[in-house]
């Protein structure tokens, strides 16, 4: 099965060499960084409720992606085959494809909210292209992508089933309890990966995988590292806790105004978010590991709290919210 998939990747790469740029573009549309540009735009400028839902589901799917990757601990194509070109490089395990999984949850939730057939068609095509780009770039087997879409569908359906009853119960709690629930949820996301890592026991990454990845991409791998899951968990906590504090004032969060108002608000908010992320990144220690994980968690939580709470409060006080709706 693996040999057949490698042959398929070889055929794609050899007979469609002109597709490198488009495939890199579609791959970017599945990057967490892209979603982190879109979520604030929706939350601050267009549809706060949809932005909130997307922020929560992306924190959940981002955290579970790492747990599943560690649980399956399978290689990427360019790690194991010298015949596959490494047109991209990633240090984590291959299955499931995080791009396919998160594209399914993110764009799928947008399609559910839009309730338009053409949106469903566009989202299906986009998820297909994002997943296909990962195969073409040599960073995923087709089975990785199929698994990513399948897990993404499960997460999306579970989110849709539980968001209303859980949301009502959480909203009825005092703010301090809501923040505690958000923290507990973020710990659950982190512990899922810790449990998957513990289940590996004394399993070791095959030396051939590390050597093959380094030889073909020039980048080392560290698939057992938990920094990404700490980032996802921190983002979930910061976003959920900030939204809990800001949501009672949601009437001041969504506006109908001039395009310049939206542009000013978004440009300022994203600039501050970037400054927080990169500024706190300078404070992340190189070691020990526990300190790195805690710092990464707090860094992501700070950025997410700025997006969900800090920025809307600054906009409101600076009279950048426009006409309230």
């Amino acid at each position: 099965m693996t040999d057949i998939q490698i042959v398929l990747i070889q055929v794609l790469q050899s007979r469609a060499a002109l597709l490198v740029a488009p495939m890199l573009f579609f791959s970017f549309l599945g990057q967490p960084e892209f979603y982190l540009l879109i979520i604030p735009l929706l939350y601050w400028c267009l549809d706060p409720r949809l932005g909130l839902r997307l922020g929560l589901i992306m924190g959940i799917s981002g955290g579970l992606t790492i747990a599943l990757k560690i649980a399956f601990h399978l290689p990427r194509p360019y790690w194991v085959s010298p015949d596959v070109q490494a047109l991209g490089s990633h240090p984590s395990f291959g299955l499931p494809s995080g791009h396919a999984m998160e594209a399914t949850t993110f764009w799928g939730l947008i399609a559910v909210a839009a309730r338009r057939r053409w949106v469903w068609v566009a989202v299906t095509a986009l998820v297909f292209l994002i997943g296909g780009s990962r195969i073409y770039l040599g960073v995923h087997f087709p089975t990785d992508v199929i698994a990513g879409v399948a897990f993404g569908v499960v997460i999306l359906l579970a989110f849709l089933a539980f968001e209303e009853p859980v949301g009502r119960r959480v909203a009825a709690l005092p703010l301090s309890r809501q923040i505690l629930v958000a923290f507990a949820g973020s710990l659950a996301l982190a512990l899922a990966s810790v449990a998957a890592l513990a289940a590996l026991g004394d399993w070791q990454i095959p030396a051939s995988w590390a050597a093959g990845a380094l030889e073909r991409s020039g980048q080392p791998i560290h698939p057992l590292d938990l920094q990404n899951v700490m980032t996802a968990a921190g983002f979930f906590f910061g976003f959920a806790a900030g939204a809990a504090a800001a949501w009672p004032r949601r009437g001041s969060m969504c506006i109908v105004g001039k395009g310049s108002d939206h542009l000013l608000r978004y440009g300022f908010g994203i600039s501050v978010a970037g400054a927080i992320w990169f500024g706190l990144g300078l404070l992340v220690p190189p070691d020990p590991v526990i300190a790195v994980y805690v710092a990464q968690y707090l860094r992501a939580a700070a950025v997410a709290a700025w997006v969900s709470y800090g920025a809307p409060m600054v906009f409101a006080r600076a009279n950048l919210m426009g006409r309230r709706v």
Side-chain angles (χ1 to χ4, degrees):
M1 185 65 175
T2 298
D3 292 340
I4 294 174
Q5 295 186 82
I6 288 175
V7 170
L8 173 61
I9 296 170
Q10 286 180 268
V11 171
L12 288 174
Q13 291 184 334
S14 62
R15 298 187 181 180
L18 295 178
L19 291 180
V20 174
M23 291 298 100
L24 287 172
F25 171 74
F26 285 116
S27 181
F28 172 72
L29 297 184
Q31 287 281 106
E33 292 83 357
F34 177 76
Y35 301 134
L36 293 178
L37 292 175
I38 299 300
I39 290 170
L41 177 64
L42 289 167
Y43 190 79
W44 296 335
C45 304
L46 302 175
D47 188 337
R49 184 172 185 273
L50 179 58
L52 170 63
R53 298 170 75 203
L54 288 170
L56 295 177
I57 199 172
M58 293 313 293
I60 293 168
S61 60
L64 293 180
T65 296
I66 307 302
L68 289 167
K69 283 180 179 290
I70 295 174
F72 288 106
H73 53 282
L74 293 175
R76 295 177 183 269
Y78 75 93
W79 292 8
V80 296
S81 174
D83 298 319
V84 172
Q85 299 178 60
L87 301 177
S89 62
H90 294 273
S92 60
F93 291 117
L95 191 147
S97 164
H99 278 64
M101 184 169 160
E102 292 169 20
T104 300
T105 56
F106 184 88
W107 297 109
L109 185 56
I110 288 179
V112 169
R115 298 182 181 179
R116 296 288 188 275
R117 180 176 297 180
W118 71 266
V119 177
W120 276 107
V121 172
V123 164
T124 300
L126 184 56
V127 171
F128 176 82
L129 289 169
I130 290 173
S133 73
R134 308 303 288 165
I135 299 171
Y136 179 89
L137 296 174
V139 296
H140 280 298
F141 292 105
T143 48
D144 300 344
V145 173
I146 293 170
V149 172
F151 282 120
V153 169
V154 171
I155 291 172
L156 177 60
L157 292 176
F159 183 84
L160 293 172
F162 290 105
E163 68 165 326
E164 186 173 344
V166 172
R168 281 200 307 266
R169 294 188 65 177
V170 172
L173 298 173
L175 177 58
S176 59
R177 294 281 186 87
Q178 293 183 46
I179 293 174
L180 184 61
V181 169
F183 181 64
S186 73
L187 286 186
L189 289 174
L191 289 175
S193 290
V194 172
L197 189 60
L200 293 182
D202 58 359
W203 182 85
Q204 298 290 320
I205 301 169
S208 60
W209 294 3
L214 186 60
E215 177 185 349
R216 286 179 277 280
S217 71
Q219 299 295 323
I221 62 173
H222 41 84
L224 300 179
D225 184 85
L226 297 181
Q227 284 197 61
N228 285 341
V229 76
M230 296 307 294
T231 299
F235 178 85
F236 178 86
F237 170 60
F239 196 87
W247 208 241
R249 309 181 191 184
R250 62 186 178 276
S252 68
M253 293 171 59
C254 186
I255 73 151
V256 176
K258 296 182 296 183
S260 59
D261 295 331
H262 293 277
L263 183 62
L264 177 61
R265 188 167 54 260
Y266 181 74
F268 173 76
I270 282 294
S271 297
V272 174
I276 294 172
W277 177 257
F278 291 108
L280 293 182
L282 299 175
L283 303 178
V284 176
D287 51 31
V289 171
I290 297 300
V292 173
Y293 290 163
V294 171
Q296 194 69 9
Y297 178 95
L298 295 175
R299 179 189 186 195
V303 173
W306 163 255
V307 172
S308 63
Y309 178 78
M313 295 304 103
V314 170
F315 299 154
R317 292 188 178 186
N319 199 28
L320 291 176
M321 297 310 297
R323 181 162 60 87
R324 299 179 182 182
V325 295

